[in-house]
Amino acid sequence: MKKLLLLLLFPLLGFGQHNFSIIKSNLVWEKVFPGTVTPEEMMKQIKLTGKCQYVDFNYNVLDFSISYTPDDLKRYGYRNLPDPSFLSQGGICTGMIEFKEGRYKVTVFKLECYDPVDGIIIYPINNYVLKDGEMRDSNRYDRSLSYYDQYFSFIFDKMAEGKTW
């Protein structure tokens, strides 16, 4: 019985563990990855995802904009009904990658979703997840951010040598 109880609690321990923070009333995802990767390699990796809206390299910073769909988040646990509606149509994220010797930092500073009603208008995720500049107190929102966290980690983690996208 104790083992069953532990197995049921184990998935809940991951919620609330993500790389999001609130900076000046804005939801920001930031993660430092170890490894040496060139801006050109990262540009290629972003383009190979098929999600690239924009990517450019200037002054040691790689700027990008990539789209995402609900299918991209499903591999990390997203399901339509128990999760917030802002995940249902996908959206666009915008950010930058800074490079230093032996590591690189990815920052997503603009995370937007398509309107769940018409799928055309774009809204910032902040409108749904933040209230008065603070994170809403709900497991649903923590769970949603964990989907994004895992997705971004997958997209921006340097691919092992010899592996293809």
Side-chain angles (χ1 to χ4, degrees):
M1 183 67 171
K2 288 181 185 178
K3 289 181 182 179
L4 179 62
L5 199 58
L6 284 174
L7 287 174
L8 291 173
L9 288 175
F10 184 71
L12 296 176
L13 296 176
F15 297 133
Q17 304 296 319
H18 47 68
N19 292 295
F20 281 96
S21 59
I22 300 169
I23 300 174
K24 297 182 181 180
S25 297
N26 190 33
L27 192 63
V28 175
W29 184 84
E30 189 172 77
K31 185 172 180 179
V32 176
F33 293 90
T36 54
V37 61
T38 66
E40 292 79 16
E41 290 172 327
M42 187 57 72
M43 284 178 77
K44 182 178 177 183
Q45 181 169 320
I46 291 171
K47 288 178 181 179
L48 286 174
T49 65
K51 308 282 181 189
C52 181
Q53 302 283 316
Y54 169 82
V55 65
D56 190 34
F57 181 68
N58 287 309
Y59 305 106
N60 278 344
V61 175
L62 185 74
D63 296 315
F64 66 86
S65 181
I66 59 173
S67 61
Y68 64 91
T69 65
D71 288 339
D72 295 326
L73 303 176
K74 281 184 181 176
R75 72 185 314 170
Y76 306 109
Y78 166 67
R79 301 294 174 259
N80 290 337
L81 289 178
D83 292 315
S85 63
F86 66 82
L87 295 169
S88 67
Q89 298 296 318
I92 298 172
C93 66
T94 305
M96 65 183 186
I97 304 172
E98 299 169 274
F99 299 88
K100 287 191 177 180
E101 191 170 321
R103 65 188 190 275
Y104 57 99
K105 179 172 73 171
V106 180
T107 305
V108 175
F109 51 80
K110 189 175 182 184
L111 185 55
E112 299 171 309
C113 64
Y114 294 111
D115 184 343
V117 176
D118 67 15
I120 298 172
I121 300 173
I122 295 180
Y123 291 110
I125 297 291
N126 293 347
N127 293 357
Y128 298 95
V129 178
L130 302 180
K131 182 177 181 179
D132 299 326
E134 297 291 323
M135 189 79 66
R136 290 183 187 267
D137 188 24
S138 170
N139 285 339
R140 294 175 64 214
Y141 296 113
D142 274 343
R143 191 171 54 242
S144 300
L145 293 180
S146 76
Y147 304 151
Y148 285 116
D149 184 54
Q150 293 173 74
Y151 176 64
F152 294 151
S153 292
F154 173 75
I155 291 287
F156 297 111
D157 195 10
K158 183 183 150 230
M159 298 300 291
E161 286 187 34
K163 300 258 180 170
T164 58
W165 196 242

